[in-house]
Amino acid sequence: MKVYISGMISDSLDYQARFNKAEQLIREAGEIPINPAKYGSPSDQTWAYYMKEGIKELLTCDAIYMLNGWGDSRGATLERHIATQLNMPVFAEVNKDFERSILND
């Protein structure tokens, strides 16, 4: 299963670490992570550019994994809306115990 990682990137200093941690978690669960934080620095292109690229990737995925704080992100909110409208499973980062089992339910 391909799992798209969604969360705040703009205005976040530690986004790469958070996205990379989720990528590792998903990979360890035996799934295929799609990490949009690897597209480049938010200052390299416009927000709209990154959203278009991210949505293209999201549409190739089977599920979405929402990082903590996603509700404060305009982009992550949009990605979650698209995923729910397409009936994709939505997983959420909650705590360590939940993270270990989240993709194995």
Side-chain angles (χ1 to χ4, degrees), residues 38-84:
K38 292 188 172 186
Y39 296 155
S41 170
S43 62
D44 291 343
Q45 295 286 339
T46 66
W47 177 86
Y49 170 85
Y50 286 116
M51 287 308 303
K52 289 175 185 177
E53 293 301 308
I55 290 168
K56 285 185 220 174
E57 289 291 333
L58 172 61
L59 294 176
T60 70
C61 292
D62 305 299
I64 189 168
Y65 182 80
M66 307 303 300
L67 296 176
N68 287 337
W70 68 267
D72 295 326
S73 167
R74 181 172 55 137
T77 300
L78 176 58
E79 291 166 342
R80 185 180 185 281
H81 175 75
I82 291 168
T84 58

Side-chain angles (χ1 to χ4, degrees), residues 1-69:
M1 171 170 57
K2 284 175 66 176
V3 181
Y4 184 87
I5 304 165
S6 181
M8 182 176 285
I9 292 179
S10 298
D11 302 322
S12 175
L13 299 176
D14 68 342
Y15 74 92
Q16 288 179 327
R18 292 183 300 107
F19 276 73
N20 289 341
K21 178 182 172 188
E23 179 181 2
Q24 180 181 351
L25 170 75
I26 292 166
R27 186 171 285 113
E28 287 173 358
E31 309 300 345
I32 302 165
I34 302 300
N35 183 350
K38 292 188 172 186
Y39 296 155
S41 170
S43 62
D44 291 343
Q45 295 286 339
T46 66
W47 177 86
Y49 170 85
Y50 286 116
M51 287 308 303
K52 289 175 185 177
E53 293 301 308
I55 290 168
K56 285 185 220 174
E57 289 291 333
L58 172 61
L59 294 176
T60 70
C61 292
D62 305 299
I64 189 168
Y65 182 80
M66 307 303 300
L67 296 176
N68 287 337

